[in-house]
Amino acid sequence: MDFKISTVRHPKEKFYGTLMLVIGTLVWAGLAAGVAYVAMNDDPMILFGFASYIAMFWFSSFVARALLRAYMIGHYVMVSEQQFPHLHKMVQEGAQAIGLKDAPQASVYNSSGVMNAMALTLVGRTRYIWLTSQLIDADDEEQVKFVIGHELGHHVAGHLDTLPGLMRLPAYMMPLLAQAYSRGRELTCDRIGYIVSNNLQASRTALQMLACGSAKLNSQMNPAAFEAQEKMVPSTAGFFLHIFSLYPRLTRRVEAVGQFAEKAPAGTSAPQVSAPVVRVEPQMA
């Protein structure tokens, strides 16, 4: 069956994302109405000034993304059929499994010991996934597949789309709301990572590896024991740590992906696909 993001998106992302969209839309509408009213009844130049600020913001953002893209090309190792083809195959097959028309361009970079991955968009239409060298060294192949699936999830779920991001922008000023929305997005992408990997053990241990970080101990990890630590988190201190964090606790994420796997809705299984011969087109945390 075809992958449907609507059946996978976590309820917390749906709720907080909708709330942020409503708040952001109201703020933008009020701001636009206020500027138009002042411009018509006081000074028309106010409208020109407002438009100038928006243009400067867009231009600054464009320049920053263009410079980052140039840095990436010159300093990171871009994954392709000729460069790390096993990673290229994971990205291509994962993108195909969840219905992304164009697979993101993946790159590996020297993280100086930091284990992480990220999804992003820069200039142009190309999507990107960045994988750190430490993550590649510490995770096994199946765990890396989960990580890639998680980052693909940010793209297929629309987390990096420009218009929804701009519409929600004013809501980021609301205390704790942006953090709650971010945590919901991460739980959604963990689900997609599991679907792409089609391996629950690898999905759970890939998340646990973010806490462990040791390639030597990787094969000895027990995600059930790690998940049990969730019940040991002090309620008051854990609550305050949680509401200020952009990411759910790792113990909670291991628990949540297992719960999703137990009752995954129909239509969410990743189809078996043959290795495509296609063109080459970052916090997992």
Side-chain angles (χ1 to χ4, degrees):
M1 299 181 68
D2 293 335
F3 172 88
K4 295 181 176 63
I5 185 60
S6 60
T7 63
V8 177
R9 200 181 299 273
H10 195 277
K12 289 185 177 180
E13 184 195 340
K14 293 179 181 179
F15 175 77
Y16 291 114
T18 300
L19 182 59
M20 289 188 68
L21 189 60
V22 170
I23 292 173
T25 301
L26 292 174
V27 171
W28 280 121
L31 182 60
V35 170
Y37 177 82
V38 172
M40 289 186 296
N41 295 276
D42 189 5
D43 185 1
M45 289 301 295
I46 291 179
L47 187 61
F48 174 77
F50 183 69
S52 297
Y53 278 117
I54 293 178
M56 285 189 293
F57 176 81
W58 176 86
F59 181 73
S60 298
S61 173
F62 177 84
V63 170
R65 288 181 285 119
L67 291 174
L68 183 57
R69 179 176 178 271
Y71 183 89
M72 176 199 72
I73 294 173
H75 293 269
Y76 296 179
V77 181
M78 299 175 69
V79 173
S80 68
E81 291 178 314
Q82 294 75 41
Q83 190 81 265
F84 311 139
H86 67 296
L87 294 177
H88 177 72
K89 179 181 178 183
M90 289 183 193
V91 174
Q92 297 292 330
E93 290 188 345
Q96 183 179 347
I98 59 177
L100 277 175
K101 183 178 179 181
D102 296 309
Q105 169 63 61
S107 295
V108 177
Y109 70 97
N110 185 348
S111 58
S112 300
V114 176
M115 178 180 291
N116 205 351
M118 65 186 73
L120 67 164
T121 56
L122 299 174
V123 294
R125 295 178 176 271
T126 305
R127 305 173 187 267
Y128 297 92
I129 290 175
W130 291 355
L131 304 170
T132 64
S133 55
Q134 179 62 27
L135 183 142
I136 299 295
D137 289 346
D139 283 1
D140 63 30
E141 295 292 288
E142 292 302 309
Q143 291 166 337
V144 171
K145 188 181 294 186
F146 168 83
V147 173
I148 288 173
H150 176 103
E151 302 308 331
L152 289 171
H154 283 297
H155 289 295
V156 76
H159 296 163
L160 304 174
D161 291 354
T162 301
L163 183 58
L166 286 175
M167 294 304 297
R168 292 188 175 100
L169 187 61
Y172 280 87
M173 295 182 293
M174 300 290 292
L176 308 180
L177 182 56
Q179 291 91 328
Y181 176 52
S182 175
R183 292 193 300 270
R185 299 198 319 180
E186 295 303 316
L187 293 173
T188 293
C189 291
D190 286 346
R191 292 177 168 192
I192 298 171
Y194 160 68
I195 291 168
V196 169
S197 70
N198 199 26
N199 186 323
L200 180 57
Q201 177 70 6
S203 300
R204 283 158 58 85
T205 55
L207 289 166
Q208 187 178 344
M209 274 299 291
L210 293 175
C212 176
S214 170
K216 187 174 182 179
L217 296 176
N218 190 340
S219 62
Q220 303 175 45
M221 289 192 304
N222 182 339
F226 183 66
E227 176 186 331
Q229 294 176 207
E230 173 65 18
K231 297 179 176 61
M232 300 167 61
V233 176
S235 56
T236 302
F239 170 76
F240 282 103
L241 285 172
H242 178 71
I243 63 174
F244 286 103
S245 176
L246 294 170
Y247 302 98
R249 285 189 294 270
L250 288 170
T251 49
R252 172 60 187 138
R253 291 173 68 176
V254 171
E255 177 184 57
V257 77
Q259 292 171 342
F260 174 73
E262 289 178 358
K263 51 183 180 182
T268 58
S269 298
Q272 297 298 316
V273 293
S274 57
V277 180
V278 294
R279 64 208 174 284
V280 178
E281 254 294 309
Q283 168 185 68
M284 187 188 103

